[in-house]
Amino acid sequence: MHNDIAEVLFTEDEIARRVDEIGAQITRDYAEATDEGIVLVSVLRGAAIFMADLARRIELPVEMDYMAVSSYGDGAKSSGVVRILKDLASEIEGRHVVVAEDILDSGLTLKYLLKNLASRHPASLEVATLLRKKTLAQAKIECKYIGFECPDRFIVGYGLDYAERYRNLPYIGVLKPEMY
């Protein structure tokens, strides 16, 4: 798999340091806000690795929950139609919710998801994204916590995949064009 990577954008150590920083910031931001802790919500599958690492770095009670959504008609370009395939198991009304996202690309799915979650009346709703791509057509989404800004290239690793491969790479790299 490593030979399929053209360039490493973020090393395992860089990712770990940045996730530590985000976890510490979330701990500070919510330290006085709640006795219940926060609910971390991951969008499956890509963000699961980021959320697991982030949860271990937050020094507050954390409940983890997952959603599965689909918005890609042909797998390469967003259709703009979002479907919830798996909903939350937790009630979030009156709770502090942080959505842990692997990458903010077009933002269409996340925009829909945030509207859906906001309708459930959480005490607060924020986004922690590991990566934010620099794209012109990106939906306007406020991300309180951003790991890294990244170029608009085909990237894999640390949860990000191509055809369900490369998620287990410990770093984030650019996939060689001949691989896709």
Side-chain angles (χ1 to χ4, degrees):
M1 289 189 308
H2 301 284
N3 292 333
D4 298 347
I5 305 302
E7 169 189 358
V8 173
L9 292 178
F10 306 106
T11 67
E12 184 174 5
D13 289 341
E14 289 171 323
I15 294 167
R17 277 193 302 275
R18 190 64 188 118
V19 174
D20 282 345
E21 292 167 358
I22 295 170
Q25 185 63 51
I26 290 172
T27 299
R28 286 190 298 274
D29 289 351
Y30 291 94
E32 312 252 342
T34 178
D35 292 329
E36 271 182 50
I38 61 173
V39 180
L40 278 179
V41 174
S42 169
V43 179
L44 293 173
R45 296 177 219 175
I49 292 173
F50 171 53
M51 185 170 85
D53 286 347
L54 182 61
R56 287 190 293 262
R57 288 163 175 90
I58 296 172
E59 296 181 20
L60 299 168
V62 171
E63 182 177 338
M64 297 168 63
D65 207 339
Y66 303 88
M67 293 184 81
V69 296
S70 173
S71 69
Y72 290 88
D74 66 4
K77 186 175 179 181
S78 179
S79 66
V81 177
V82 178
R83 293 183 314 139
I84 294 178
L85 304 175
K86 183 214 172 294
D87 206 346
L88 297 176
S90 308
E91 288 292 327
I92 61 169
E93 184 173 347
R95 311 250 340 252
H96 295 284
V97 176
V98 176
V99 176
E101 182 68 291
D102 55 353
I103 187 166
L104 178 55
D105 196 344
S106 73
L108 293 175
T109 302
L110 185 57
K111 186 174 181 177
Y112 170 86
L113 181 66
L114 291 171
K115 184 177 178 182
N116 179 287
L117 293 174
S119 74
R120 302 176 196 202
H121 310 290
S124 67
L125 179 61
E126 298 293 350
V127 175
T129 186
L130 180 64
L131 301 167
R132 184 174 198 149
K133 270 193 180 179
K134 296 176 185 174
T135 61
L136 296 175
Q138 193 172 82
K140 300 280 187 253
I141 295 175
E142 285 296 318
C143 292
K144 187 167 186 177
Y145 312 99
I146 299 172
F148 303 97
E149 297 281 347
C150 70
D152 189 10
R153 297 176 69 192
F154 203 123
I155 55 177
V156 294
Y158 196 73
L160 298 160
D161 76 302
Y162 172 68
E164 294 304 321
R165 296 186 66 200
Y166 309 104
R167 287 190 197 277
N168 58 322
L169 291 174
Y171 54 83
I172 296 169
V174 177
L175 191 61
K176 290 179 179 175
E178 60 267 23
M179 301 315 300
Y180 58 91

mmCIF file of all heavy atoms in Angstrom, residues 92-139:
data_model
loop_
_atom_site.group_PDB
_atom_site.id
_atom_site.type_symbol
_atom_site.label_atom_id
_atom_site.label_comp_id
_atom_site.label_asym_id
_atom_site.label_seq_id
_atom_site.Cartn_x
_atom_site.Cartn_y
_atom_site.Cartn_z
ATOM 1 N N ILE A 92 -29.828 13.521 21.915
ATOM 2 C CA ILE A 92 -28.882 14.636 22.043
ATOM 3 C C ILE A 92 -29.548 15.928 22.493
ATOM 4 O O ILE A 92 -28.859 16.933 22.678
ATOM 5 C CB ILE A 92 -28.099 14.866 20.731
ATOM 6 C CG1 ILE A 92 -29.033 15.227 19.575
ATOM 7 C CG2 ILE A 92 -27.235 13.647 20.409
ATOM 8 C CD1 ILE A 92 -28.310 15.726 18.328
ATOM 9 N N GLU A 93 -30.837 15.924 22.705
ATOM 10 C CA GLU A 93 -31.516 17.131 23.148
ATOM 11 C C GLU A 93 -30.900 17.622 24.455
ATOM 12 O O GLU A 93 -30.730 16.856 25.407
ATOM 13 C CB GLU A 93 -33.008 16.875 23.351
ATOM 14 C CG GLU A 93 -33.757 18.141 23.708
ATOM 15 C CD GLU A 93 -35.272 17.954 23.762
ATOM 16 O OE1 GLU A 93 -35.767 16.919 23.287
ATOM 17 O OE2 GLU A 93 -35.939 18.858 24.291
ATOM 18 N N GLY A 94 -30.524 18.912 24.467
ATOM 19 C CA GLY A 94 -29.942 19.518 25.653
ATOM 20 C C GLY A 94 -28.495 19.122 25.924
ATOM 21 O O GLY A 94 -27.938 19.531 26.948
ATOM 22 N N ARG A 95 -27.886 18.368 25.047
ATOM 23 C CA ARG A 95 -26.506 17.903 25.246
ATOM 24 C C ARG A 95 -25.559 18.677 24.322
ATOM 25 O O ARG A 95 -25.958 19.214 23.297
ATOM 26 C CB ARG A 95 -26.390 16.402 24.924
ATOM 27 C CG ARG A 95 -27.441 15.549 25.577
ATOM 28 C CD ARG A 95 -27.067 14.620 26.665
ATOM 29 N NE ARG A 95 -25.736 14.178 26.848
ATOM 30 C CZ ARG A 95 -25.308 12.945 26.590
ATOM 31 N NH1 ARG A 95 -26.113 12.040 26.071
ATOM 32 N NH2 ARG A 95 -24.067 12.608 26.860
ATOM 33 N N HIS A 96 -24.297 18.701 24.705
ATOM 34 C CA HIS A 96 -23.262 19.321 23.871
ATOM 35 C C HIS A 96 -22.747 18.272 22.892
ATOM 36 O O HIS A 96 -22.296 17.201 23.310
ATOM 37 C CB HIS A 96 -22.131 19.864 24.732
ATOM 38 C CG HIS A 96 -22.576 20.984 25.630
ATOM 39 N ND1 HIS A 96 -22.789 22.257 25.162
ATOM 40 C CD2 HIS A 96 -22.891 21.006 26.939
ATOM 41 C CE1 HIS A 96 -23.196 23.029 26.153
ATOM 42 N NE2 HIS A 96 -23.271 22.285 27.249
ATOM 43 N N VAL A 97 -22.847 18.590 21.613
ATOM 44 C CA VAL A 97 -22.504 17.640 20.557
ATOM 45 C C VAL A 97 -21.352 18.192 19.722
ATOM 46 O O VAL A 97 -21.369 19.354 19.314
ATOM 47 C CB VAL A 97 -23.727 17.366 19.639
ATOM 48 C CG1 VAL A 97 -23.349 16.455 18.480
ATOM 49 C CG2 VAL A 97 -24.878 16.783 20.450
ATOM 50 N N VAL A 98 -20.367 17.341 19.482
ATOM 51 C CA VAL A 98 -19.267 17.669 18.579
ATOM 52 C C VAL A 98 -19.249 16.596 17.490
ATOM 53 O O VAL A 98 -19.095 15.408 17.788
ATOM 54 C CB VAL A 98 -17.903 17.720 19.296
ATOM 55 C CG1 VAL A 98 -16.773 17.978 18.300
ATOM 56 C CG2 VAL A 98 -17.905 18.787 20.391
ATOM 57 N N VAL A 99 -19.425 17.022 16.256
ATOM 58 C CA VAL A 99 -19.362 16.105 15.125
ATOM 59 C C VAL A 99 -17.902 15.971 14.727
ATOM 60 O O VAL A 99 -17.238 16.964 14.412
ATOM 61 C CB VAL A 99 -20.198 16.614 13.933
ATOM 62 C CG1 VAL A 99 -20.041 15.687 12.732
ATOM 63 C CG2 VAL A 99 -21.659 16.754 14.325
ATOM 64 N N ALA A 100 -17.389 14.747 14.780
ATOM 65 C CA ALA A 100 -16.011 14.463 14.378
ATOM 66 C C ALA A 100 -16.044 13.999 12.926
ATOM 67 O O ALA A 100 -16.590 12.949 12.607
ATOM 68 C CB ALA A 100 -15.399 13.388 15.276
ATOM 69 N N GLU A 101 -15.467 14.803 12.062
ATOM 70 C CA GLU A 101 -15.472 14.531 10.623
ATOM 71 C C GLU A 101 -14.056 14.288 10.151
ATOM 72 O O GLU A 101 -13.122 14.927 10.641
ATOM 73 C CB GLU A 101 -16.106 15.729 9.903
ATOM 74 C CG GLU A 101 -16.231 15.602 8.419
ATOM 75 C CD GLU A 101 -17.220 14.545 7.969
ATOM 76 O OE1 GLU A 101 -16.930 13.338 8.171
ATOM 77 O OE2 GLU A 101 -18.251 14.889 7.403
ATOM 78 N N ASP A 102 -13.881 13.365 9.207
ATOM 79 C CA ASP A 102 -12.546 13.101 8.698
ATOM 80 C C ASP A 102 -12.087 14.197 7.754
ATOM 81 O O ASP A 102 -10.991 14.706 7.872
ATOM 82 C CB ASP A 102 -12.445 11.717 8.040
ATOM 83 C CG ASP A 102 -13.468 11.490 6.939
ATOM 84 O OD1 ASP A 102 -14.365 12.331 6.747
ATOM 85 O OD2 ASP A 102 -13.377 10.433 6.274
ATOM 86 N N ILE A 103 -12.952 14.569 6.815
ATOM 87 C CA ILE A 103 -12.565 15.576 5.831
ATOM 88 C C ILE A 103 -13.777 16.386 5.391
ATOM 89 O O ILE A 103 -14.851 15.833 5.158
ATOM 90 C CB ILE A 103 -11.863 14.922 4.610
ATOM 91 C CG1 ILE A 103 -11.312 15.981 3.661
ATOM 92 C CG2 ILE A 103 -12.781 13.926 3.905
ATOM 93 C CD1 ILE A 103 -10.338 15.453 2.643
ATOM 94 N N LEU A 104 -13.594 17.665 5.326
ATOM 95 C CA LEU A 104 -14.604 18.555 4.781
ATOM 96 C C LEU A 104 -14.199 18.837 3.348
ATOM 97 O O LEU A 104 -13.198 19.500 3.098
ATOM 98 C CB LEU A 104 -14.693 19.846 5.599
ATOM 99 C CG LEU A 104 -15.693 20.889 5.112
ATOM 100 C CD1 LEU A 104 -17.087 20.303 4.983
ATOM 101 C CD2 LEU A 104 -15.698 22.075 6.043
ATOM 102 N N ASP A 105 -14.962 18.267 2.419
ATOM 103 C CA ASP A 105 -14.663 18.390 0.998
ATOM 104 C C ASP A 105 -15.701 19.325 0.385
ATOM 105 O O ASP A 105 -15.601 20.532 0.535
ATOM 106 C CB ASP A 105 -14.676 16.993 0.370
ATOM 107 C CG ASP A 105 -14.022 16.943 -0.998
ATOM 108 O OD1 ASP A 105 -13.828 18.004 -1.602
ATOM 109 O OD2 ASP A 105 -13.710 15.836 -1.465
ATOM 110 N N SER A 106 -16.748 18.812 -0.219
ATOM 111 C CA SER A 106 -17.809 19.677 -0.755
ATOM 112 C C SER A 106 -18.627 20.287 0.373
ATOM 113 O O SER A 106 -19.149 21.385 0.252
ATOM 114 C CB SER A 106 -18.727 18.892 -1.697
ATOM 115 O OG SER A 106 -19.554 18.017 -0.959
ATOM 116 N N GLY A 107 -18.771 19.533 1.474
ATOM 117 C CA GLY A 107 -19.540 19.998 2.614
ATOM 118 C C GLY A 107 -21.030 19.740 2.511
ATOM 119 O O GLY A 107 -21.773 20.021 3.450
ATOM 120 N N LEU A 108 -21.499 19.185 1.399
ATOM 121 C CA LEU A 108 -22.932 18.965 1.216
ATOM 122 C C LEU A 108 -23.503 17.995 2.248
ATOM 123 O O LEU A 108 -24.557 18.242 2.828
ATOM 124 C CB LEU A 108 -23.216 18.447 -0.199
ATOM 125 C CG LEU A 108 -22.937 19.425 -1.331
ATOM 126 C CD1 LEU A 108 -23.137 18.753 -2.687
ATOM 127 C CD2 LEU A 108 -23.815 20.658 -1.202
ATOM 128 N N THR A 109 -22.809 16.898 2.472
ATOM 129 C CA THR A 109 -23.287 15.916 3.441
ATOM 130 C C THR A 109 -23.277 16.499 4.844
ATOM 131 O O THR A 109 -24.247 16.364 5.591
ATOM 132 C CB THR A 109 -22.420 14.637 3.384
ATOM 133 O OG1 THR A 109 -22.460 14.116 2.056
ATOM 134 C CG2 THR A 109 -22.917 13.591 4.360
ATOM 135 N N LEU A 110 -22.183 17.151 5.212
ATOM 136 C CA LEU A 110 -22.070 17.717 6.551
ATOM 137 C C LEU A 110 -23.109 18.812 6.777
ATOM 138 O O LEU A 110 -23.695 18.907 7.856
ATOM 139 C CB LEU A 110 -20.660 18.248 6.792
ATOM 140 C CG LEU A 110 -20.365 18.748 8.190
ATOM 141 C CD1 LEU A 110 -20.616 17.675 9.247
ATOM 142 C CD2 LEU A 110 -18.920 19.242 8.275
ATOM 143 N N LYS A 111 -23.373 19.620 5.780
ATOM 144 C CA LYS A 111 -24.390 20.679 5.901
ATOM 145 C C LYS A 111 -25.756 20.064 6.207
ATOM 146 O O LYS A 111 -26.478 20.529 7.096
ATOM 147 C CB LYS A 111 -24.443 21.507 4.619
ATOM 148 C CG LYS A 111 -25.354 22.693 4.695
ATOM 149 C CD LYS A 111 -25.248 23.548 3.447
ATOM 150 C CE LYS A 111 -26.151 24.746 3.565
ATOM 151 N NZ LYS A 111 -26.024 25.635 2.417
ATOM 152 N N TYR A 112 -26.106 19.016 5.490
ATOM 153 C CA TYR A 112 -27.366 18.318 5.743
ATOM 154 C C TYR A 112 -27.381 17.724 7.149
ATOM 155 O O TYR A 112 -28.358 17.852 7.880
ATOM 156 C CB TYR A 112 -27.577 17.212 4.706
ATOM 157 C CG TYR A 112 -28.734 16.307 5.060
ATOM 158 C CD1 TYR A 112 -30.030 16.647 4.696
ATOM 159 C CD2 TYR A 112 -28.535 15.138 5.782
ATOM 160 C CE1 TYR A 112 -31.112 15.840 5.040
ATOM 161 C CE2 TYR A 112 -29.599 14.325 6.132
ATOM 162 C CZ TYR A 112 -30.881 14.682 5.762
ATOM 163 O OH TYR A 112 -31.929 13.879 6.117
ATOM 164 N N LEU A 113 -26.290 17.076 7.517
ATOM 165 C CA LEU A 113 -26.195 16.425 8.815
ATOM 166 C C LEU A 113 -26.339 17.434 9.951
ATOM 167 O O LEU A 113 -27.055 17.192 10.926
ATOM 168 C CB LEU A 113 -24.869 15.686 8.927
ATOM 169 C CG LEU A 113 -24.621 14.935 10.221
ATOM 170 C CD1 LEU A 113 -25.595 13.784 10.366
ATOM 171 C CD2 LEU A 113 -23.195 14.418 10.252
ATOM 172 N N LEU A 114 -25.683 18.578 9.844
ATOM 173 C CA LEU A 114 -25.764 19.601 10.886
ATOM 174 C C LEU A 114 -27.186 20.140 11.027
ATOM 175 O O LEU A 114 -27.669 20.357 12.142
ATOM 176 C CB LEU A 114 -24.786 20.739 10.606
ATOM 177 C CG LEU A 114 -23.311 20.366 10.762
ATOM 178 C CD1 LEU A 114 -22.418 21.492 10.256
ATOM 179 C CD2 LEU A 114 -22.989 20.013 12.201
ATOM 180 N N LYS A 115 -27.865 20.334 9.913
ATOM 181 C CA LYS A 115 -29.267 20.790 9.962
ATOM 182 C C LYS A 115 -30.121 19.740 10.658
ATOM 183 O O LYS A 115 -30.968 20.064 11.499
ATOM 184 C CB LYS A 115 -29.769 21.062 8.544
ATOM 185 C CG LYS A 115 -31.162 21.616 8.493
ATOM 186 C CD LYS A 115 -31.574 21.945 7.064
ATOM 187 C CE LYS A 115 -32.997 22.465 7.042
ATOM 188 N NZ LYS A 115 -33.453 22.760 5.691
ATOM 189 N N ASN A 116 -29.900 18.473 10.319
ATOM 190 C CA ASN A 116 -30.646 17.381 10.932
ATOM 191 C C ASN A 116 -30.398 17.320 12.433
ATOM 192 O O ASN A 116 -31.336 17.216 13.225
ATOM 193 C CB ASN A 116 -30.260 16.062 10.254
ATOM 194 C CG ASN A 116 -30.973 14.871 10.835
ATOM 195 O OD1 ASN A 116 -30.673 14.439 11.946
ATOM 196 N ND2 ASN A 116 -31.908 14.321 10.086
ATOM 197 N N LEU A 117 -29.141 17.405 12.849
ATOM 198 C CA LEU A 117 -28.806 17.340 14.272
ATOM 199 C C LEU A 117 -29.325 18.563 15.020
ATOM 200 O O LEU A 117 -29.804 18.446 16.153
ATOM 201 C CB LEU A 117 -27.302 17.183 14.461
ATOM 202 C CG LEU A 117 -26.702 15.859 13.971
ATOM 203 C CD1 LEU A 117 -25.183 15.890 14.071
ATOM 204 C CD2 LEU A 117 -27.291 14.679 14.716
ATOM 205 N N ALA A 118 -29.244 19.734 14.415
ATOM 206 C CA ALA A 118 -29.730 20.957 15.061
ATOM 207 C C ALA A 118 -31.240 20.863 15.348
ATOM 208 O O ALA A 118 -31.716 21.394 16.357
ATOM 209 C CB ALA A 118 -29.428 22.173 14.195
ATOM 210 N N SER A 119 -31.972 20.171 14.499
ATOM 211 C CA SER A 119 -33.416 20.025 14.694
ATOM 212 C C SER A 119 -33.747 19.186 15.930
ATOM 213 O O SER A 119 -34.886 19.174 16.395
ATOM 214 C CB SER A 119 -34.072 19.399 13.457
ATOM 215 O OG SER A 119 -33.776 18.011 13.370
ATOM 216 N N ARG A 120 -32.748 18.527 16.494
ATOM 217 C CA ARG A 120 -32.942 17.709 17.695
ATOM 218 C C ARG A 120 -32.640 18.493 18.974
ATOM 219 O O ARG A 120 -32.630 17.947 20.056
ATOM 220 C CB ARG A 120 -32.058 16.462 17.612
ATOM 221 C CG ARG A 120 -32.359 15.630 16.362
ATOM 222 C CD ARG A 120 -31.411 14.465 16.241
ATOM 223 N NE ARG A 120 -31.443 13.902 14.900
ATOM 224 C CZ ARG A 120 -31.060 12.680 14.606
ATOM 225 N NH1 ARG A 120 -30.600 11.880 15.546
ATOM 226 N NH2 ARG A 120 -31.107 12.247 13.363
ATOM 227 N N HIS A 121 -32.343 19.762 18.827
ATOM 228 C CA HIS A 121 -32.179 20.714 19.926
ATOM 229 C C HIS A 121 -31.055 20.373 20.906
ATOM 230 O O HIS A 121 -31.269 20.346 22.123
ATOM 231 C CB HIS A 121 -33.501 20.910 20.680
ATOM 232 C CG HIS A 121 -34.642 21.213 19.767
ATOM 233 N ND1 HIS A 121 -34.749 22.412 19.099
ATOM 234 C CD2 HIS A 121 -35.697 20.459 19.373
ATOM 235 C CE1 HIS A 121 -35.829 22.396 18.345
ATOM 236 N NE2 HIS A 121 -36.421 21.222 18.483
ATOM 237 N N PRO A 122 -29.832 20.185 20.400
ATOM 238 C CA PRO A 122 -28.715 20.015 21.333
ATOM 239 C C PRO A 122 -28.407 21.348 22.017
ATOM 240 O O PRO A 122 -28.767 22.414 21.501
ATOM 241 C CB PRO A 122 -27.559 19.585 20.422
ATOM 242 C CG PRO A 122 -27.887 20.198 19.092
ATOM 243 C CD PRO A 122 -29.392 20.167 18.996
ATOM 244 N N ALA A 123 -27.734 21.296 23.167
ATOM 245 C CA ALA A 123 -27.316 22.517 23.858
ATOM 246 C C ALA A 123 -26.329 23.296 22.998
ATOM 247 O O ALA A 123 -26.343 24.522 22.968
ATOM 248 C CB ALA A 123 -26.699 22.175 25.211
ATOM 249 N N SER A 124 -25.459 22.579 22.314
ATOM 250 C CA SER A 124 -24.527 23.185 21.366
ATOM 251 C C SER A 124 -24.179 22.143 20.324
ATOM 252 O O SER A 124 -24.311 20.930 20.555
ATOM 253 C CB SER A 124 -23.266 23.691 22.066
ATOM 254 O OG SER A 124 -22.512 22.607 22.577
ATOM 255 N N LEU A 125 -23.741 22.621 19.165
ATOM 256 C CA LEU A 125 -23.383 21.741 18.059
ATOM 257 C C LEU A 125 -22.186 22.336 17.347
ATOM 258 O O LEU A 125 -22.267 23.445 16.816
ATOM 259 C CB LEU A 125 -24.570 21.601 17.100
ATOM 260 C CG LEU A 125 -24.393 20.733 15.865
ATOM 261 C CD1 LEU A 125 -24.084 19.283 16.252
ATOM 262 C CD2 LEU A 125 -25.652 20.802 14.988
ATOM 263 N N GLU A 126 -21.067 21.622 17.392
ATOM 264 C CA GLU A 126 -19.832 22.086 16.771
ATOM 265 C C GLU A 126 -19.266 20.985 15.877
ATOM 266 O O GLU A 126 -19.663 19.824 15.986
ATOM 267 C CB GLU A 126 -18.792 22.468 17.834
ATOM 268 C CG GLU A 126 -19.208 23.593 18.749
ATOM 269 C CD GLU A 126 -19.338 24.952 18.080
ATOM 270 O OE1 GLU A 126 -18.922 25.106 16.901
ATOM 271 O OE2 GLU A 126 -19.861 25.870 18.731
ATOM 272 N N VAL A 127 -18.306 21.374 15.040
ATOM 273 C CA VAL A 127 -17.646 20.437 14.136
ATOM 274 C C VAL A 127 -16.162 20.426 14.418
ATOM 275 O O VAL A 127 -15.529 21.478 14.543
ATOM 276 C CB VAL A 127 -17.882 20.824 12.660
ATOM 277 C CG1 VAL A 127 -17.092 19.910 11.718
ATOM 278 C CG2 VAL A 127 -19.360 20.807 12.323
ATOM 279 N N ALA A 128 -15.623 19.216 14.516
ATOM 280 C CA ALA A 128 -14.173 19.011 14.561
ATOM 281 C C ALA A 128 -13.818 18.192 13.336
ATOM 282 O O ALA A 128 -14.200 17.023 13.230
ATOM 283 C CB ALA A 128 -13.767 18.267 15.840
ATOM 284 N N THR A 129 -13.144 18.806 12.389
ATOM 285 C CA THR A 129 -12.744 18.089 11.180
ATOM 286 C C THR A 129 -11.231 17.953 11.158
ATOM 287 O O THR A 129 -10.514 18.910 11.463
ATOM 288 C CB THR A 129 -13.269 18.764 9.897
ATOM 289 O OG1 THR A 129 -12.963 17.937 8.769
ATOM 290 C CG2 THR A 129 -12.673 20.141 9.672
ATOM 291 N N LEU A 130 -10.765 16.774 10.855
ATOM 292 C CA LEU A 130 -9.322 16.569 10.776
ATOM 293 C C LEU A 130 -8.739 17.336 9.601
ATOM 294 O O LEU A 130 -7.702 17.968 9.724
ATOM 295 C CB LEU A 130 -8.989 15.081 10.655
ATOM 296 C CG LEU A 130 -7.505 14.779 10.564
ATOM 297 C CD1 LEU A 130 -6.783 15.198 11.848
ATOM 298 C CD2 LEU A 130 -7.273 13.311 10.263
ATOM 299 N N LEU A 131 -9.441 17.300 8.478
ATOM 300 C CA LEU A 131 -8.947 17.936 7.260
ATOM 301 C C LEU A 131 -10.022 18.824 6.650
ATOM 302 O O LEU A 131 -11.195 18.470 6.634
ATOM 303 C CB LEU A 131 -8.560 16.881 6.225
ATOM 304 C CG LEU A 131 -7.492 15.887 6.636
ATOM 305 C CD1 LEU A 131 -7.443 14.732 5.647
ATOM 306 C CD2 LEU A 131 -6.139 16.563 6.742
ATOM 307 N N ARG A 132 -9.594 19.956 6.152
ATOM 308 C CA ARG A 132 -10.478 20.824 5.383
ATOM 309 C C ARG A 132 -9.804 21.087 4.056
ATOM 310 O O ARG A 132 -8.729 21.680 4.011
ATOM 311 C CB ARG A 132 -10.762 22.126 6.122
ATOM 312 C CG ARG A 132 -11.753 22.990 5.376
ATOM 313 C CD ARG A 132 -12.134 24.212 6.174
ATOM 314 N NE ARG A 132 -13.358 24.743 5.612
ATOM 315 C CZ ARG A 132 -14.272 25.379 6.307
ATOM 316 N NH1 ARG A 132 -14.124 25.572 7.586
ATOM 317 N NH2 ARG A 132 -15.347 25.834 5.717
ATOM 318 N N LYS A 133 -10.422 20.594 2.980
ATOM 319 C CA LYS A 133 -9.859 20.790 1.640
ATOM 320 C C LYS A 133 -10.082 22.224 1.194
ATOM 321 O O LYS A 133 -11.095 22.839 1.505
ATOM 322 C CB LYS A 133 -10.521 19.855 0.626
ATOM 323 C CG LYS A 133 -9.836 18.535 0.485
ATOM 324 C CD LYS A 133 -10.341 17.807 -0.744
ATOM 325 C CE LYS A 133 -9.650 16.466 -0.874
ATOM 326 N NZ LYS A 133 -10.135 15.733 -2.056
ATOM 327 N N LYS A 134 -9.136 22.710 0.449
ATOM 328 C CA LYS A 134 -9.263 24.041 -0.140
ATOM 329 C C LYS A 134 -9.962 23.891 -1.484
ATOM 330 O O LYS A 134 -9.339 23.574 -2.493
ATOM 331 C CB LYS A 134 -7.883 24.666 -0.328
ATOM 332 C CG LYS A 134 -7.145 24.914 0.968
ATOM 333 C CD LYS A 134 -5.750 25.433 0.702
ATOM 334 C CE LYS A 134 -4.973 25.561 1.997
ATOM 335 N NZ LYS A 134 -3.587 25.932 1.782
ATOM 336 N N THR A 135 -11.292 24.067 -1.489
ATOM 337 C CA THR A 135 -12.060 23.979 -2.724
ATOM 338 C C THR A 135 -12.943 25.213 -2.848
ATOM 339 O O THR A 135 -13.408 25.759 -1.850
ATOM 340 C CB THR A 135 -12.947 22.717 -2.764
ATOM 341 O OG1 THR A 135 -13.866 22.759 -1.681
ATOM 342 C CG2 THR A 135 -12.121 21.448 -2.674
ATOM 343 N N LEU A 136 -13.169 25.639 -4.061
ATOM 344 C CA LEU A 136 -13.963 26.845 -4.311
ATOM 345 C C LEU A 136 -15.455 26.622 -4.080
ATOM 346 O O LEU A 136 -16.157 27.519 -3.644
ATOM 347 C CB LEU A 136 -13.731 27.336 -5.744
ATOM 348 C CG LEU A 136 -12.306 27.787 -6.058
ATOM 349 C CD1 LEU A 136 -12.165 28.132 -7.536
ATOM 350 C CD2 LEU A 136 -11.919 28.977 -5.191
ATOM 351 N N ALA A 137 -15.937 25.430 -4.381
ATOM 352 C CA ALA A 137 -17.379 25.161 -4.321
ATOM 353 C C ALA A 137 -17.818 24.585 -2.976
ATOM 354 O O ALA A 137 -18.894 24.021 -2.883
ATOM 355 C CB ALA A 137 -17.752 24.204 -5.448
ATOM 356 N N GLN A 138 -17.025 24.748 -1.943
ATOM 357 C CA GLN A 138 -17.341 24.162 -0.641
ATOM 358 C C GLN A 138 -18.514 24.886 0.019
ATOM 359 O O GLN A 138 -18.587 26.111 0.001
ATOM 360 C CB GLN A 138 -16.113 24.241 0.251
ATOM 361 C CG GLN A 138 -16.185 23.405 1.496
ATOM 362 C CD GLN A 138 -14.838 23.409 2.200
ATOM 363 O OE1 GLN A 138 -14.543 24.345 2.928
ATOM 364 N NE2 GLN A 138 -14.053 22.379 1.967
ATOM 365 N N ALA A 139 -19.418 24.114 0.603
ATOM 366 C CA ALA A 139 -20.540 24.692 1.342
ATOM 367 C C ALA A 139 -20.006 25.506 2.524
ATOM 368 O O ALA A 139 -18.962 25.189 3.081
ATOM 369 C CB ALA A 139 -21.464 23.577 1.836
#
